[in-house]
Amino acid sequence: VQINKSLGKAWGPSPKLTHWMYTSIIRPKITYGCHIWCHKLPKQWLEAKSRQVQRWALTKLGPVREKTPTAGLEIISNTPPLELIMGYFSMKTIIRFLNVNFRPLQANFGHLRFWQNKLQTEVPLALQMSDRELRTSAPVFHSRLVLPKQVTNQADIYTDGSGIGNISKVIESGNSQVETDTNESEKAPSFGSGFYLEWPNENGKPHSRVGIYPNGRYYSVFLSEIKAITKAVYHFINESVRVEQVVIFTDCLSALKALNSSYTNSATVRECWQWLKVLDASYEWSIQWIKSHAGNVGNENADKLAKAAAKLSLEGANPWTRVPPKQIDRLLSNHLIQSWTTYWQNRPDCRQTKLWLPTPDPKKSKQILALNRDDFGLITRWITGHCYLARHQAFMHPEIDKKCYL
């Protein structure tokens, strides 16, 4: 009521601020708990009431004509229909249940079963295990070095000889270190992790191990980097190498920051901490940042391995990896946009508005919302055709001549 009193056709906050008040204050209150009740209401009644509420908010953006279509105002201001937003919020809620190990997908009745079927039918990939989980505190490391020491004594090395020899042609000699790197494939949206291990034996000759892990399309460079560190430490520990210290180099500052933080809600970071804790029990170790593509042999080898992993074809998501939360959010957002586009294009009305905006266009909508109230009303009237030109006036009042004599 107070917001309604503060707005008028010719005066009030800017369209951008008014739109923010609706989407950030009013709409969250309306949609609170919608995953429980919105699917229980009759579809036509819910659409009618949602359109009524949304129309009230969008007509407050500027001086628009009374008969301006609600769907036209939604597409101009980039505001999806409220019933579609409720479905989007409901599916995100179910995904959050999964992230905290609450398993609503096993339900056989009620709203949980309804959204389970909807997700499995419309966005099945969103049900892939997410990397997000409850917050976990970082472990305490006792043998971690801030800076690596200058050491000369080396112990005997024992290797397991795993079958990674096909990629040995990219390996060159380097310093004693554990190198990790990741890279997104340039030709396809695919991700991979790679690592290169090297240590000197008693004769001073280097021993090396390599590894690649394809992560599929629905991953991220950050998680690929964390996974590369995890796998590198895992394989190094299995080698039972006797050395004075282990140095891990990475060219990803975000991964370094995540591993140095006090807590995390990422399952991949937590797993990496667990293996670093095992490493901490047997070795003095350090993790360092290194500049990429600066001529360091080990870093270049790890980069080649990560690229090789990314080029390996995987259909869909890798079932052995967790999907980043941003990827799941992007899948749900794309589903919302696709549903809205289908709804918009199948409407028989708003023919003139569709000439300007055949599909939702957030960039154009942002520019329109940045206008003042008068200009917003003017451009809205021009786009929708509900304006004060003679032709539109003649539709409402047949006695008016629709010809323009200018």
Side-chain angles (χ1 to χ4, degrees), residues 57-236:
L58 297 182
T59 53
K60 301 298 181 181
L61 297 178
V64 298
R65 301 210 67 171
E66 293 182 1
K67 300 297 182 179
T68 303
T70 305
L73 292 172
E74 290 173 343
I75 204 76
I76 291 173
S77 62
N78 192 37
T79 311
L82 193 55
E83 62 272 15
L84 296 182
I85 284 290
M86 290 181 184
Y88 169 72
F89 287 160
S90 299
M91 288 189 284
K92 288 192 67 174
T93 301
I94 299 301
I95 298 300
R96 284 198 298 271
F97 287 162
L98 292 176
N99 295 338
V100 296
N101 294 325
F102 177 66
R103 297 291 172 181
L105 300 182
Q106 301 174 359
N108 296 319
F109 57 88
H111 63 280
L112 299 180
R113 181 182 180 183
F114 175 86
W115 294 114
Q116 164 196 352
N117 295 335
K118 193 172 182 66
L119 278 168
Q120 289 177 342
T121 303
E122 300 180 6
V123 200
L125 191 59
L127 296 177
Q128 183 86 5
M129 187 174 294
S130 173
D131 181 65
R132 182 179 295 162
E133 61 179 15
L134 293 176
R135 178 179 293 186
T136 304
S137 299
V140 178
F141 299 110
H142 300 286
S143 302
R144 180 175 178 178
L145 302 173
V146 178
L147 293 174
K149 299 182 296 184
Q150 297 294 333
V151 297
T152 56
N153 298 329
Q154 302 293 336
D156 293 338
I157 297 175
Y158 301 91
T159 63
D160 59 8
S162 58
I164 316 178
N166 292 336
I167 317 174
S168 59
K169 60 183 179 180
V170 302
I171 303 304
E172 302 174 2
S173 61
N175 299 324
S176 175
Q177 55 200 17
V178 178
E179 289 283 351
T180 65
D181 195 11
T182 59
N183 199 340
E184 181 181 354
S185 174
E186 298 177 357
K187 297 182 179 180
S190 180
F191 299 89
S193 302
F195 66 83
Y196 167 68
L197 313 180
E198 186 182 56
W199 59 90
N201 62 9
E202 61 226 6
N203 298 325
K205 296 181 179 180
H207 271 294
S208 61
R209 292 291 181 268
V210 299
I212 63 173
Y213 288 87
N215 300 320
R217 295 177 54 191
Y218 300 97
Y219 215 57
S220 68
V221 174
F222 166 74
L223 289 183
S224 296
E225 184 72 36
I226 297 294
K227 183 178 179 180
I229 297 173
T230 303
K231 296 300 182 181
V233 172
Y234 167 77
H235 283 277
F236 182 81

Side-chain angles (χ1 to χ4, degrees), residues 44-68:
Q44 293 182 349
W45 185 89
L46 178 63
E47 291 179 356
K49 289 298 181 181
S50 300
R51 196 175 300 114
Q52 182 180 357
V53 172
Q54 190 120 295
R55 179 176 181 79
W56 167 84
L58 297 182
T59 53
K60 301 298 181 181
L61 297 178
V64 298
R65 301 210 67 171
E66 293 182 1
K67 300 297 182 179
T68 303

Side-chain angles (χ1 to χ4, degrees), residues 68-77 79-81 83-84 336-361 383-384:
T68 303
T70 305
L73 292 172
E74 290 173 343
I75 204 76
I76 291 173
S77 62
T79 311
E83 62 272 15
L84 296 182
L336 171 64
I337 296 300
Q338 292 173 0
S339 301
W340 185 18
T341 302
T342 302
Y343 164 82
W344 169 246
Q345 294 179 345
N346 291 338
R347 290 183 62 93
D349 56 352
C350 304
R351 295 185 302 274
Q352 182 167 326
T353 308
K354 290 177 182 178
L355 297 176
W356 295 86
L357 296 167
T359 59
D361 193 330
I383 292 176
T384 60

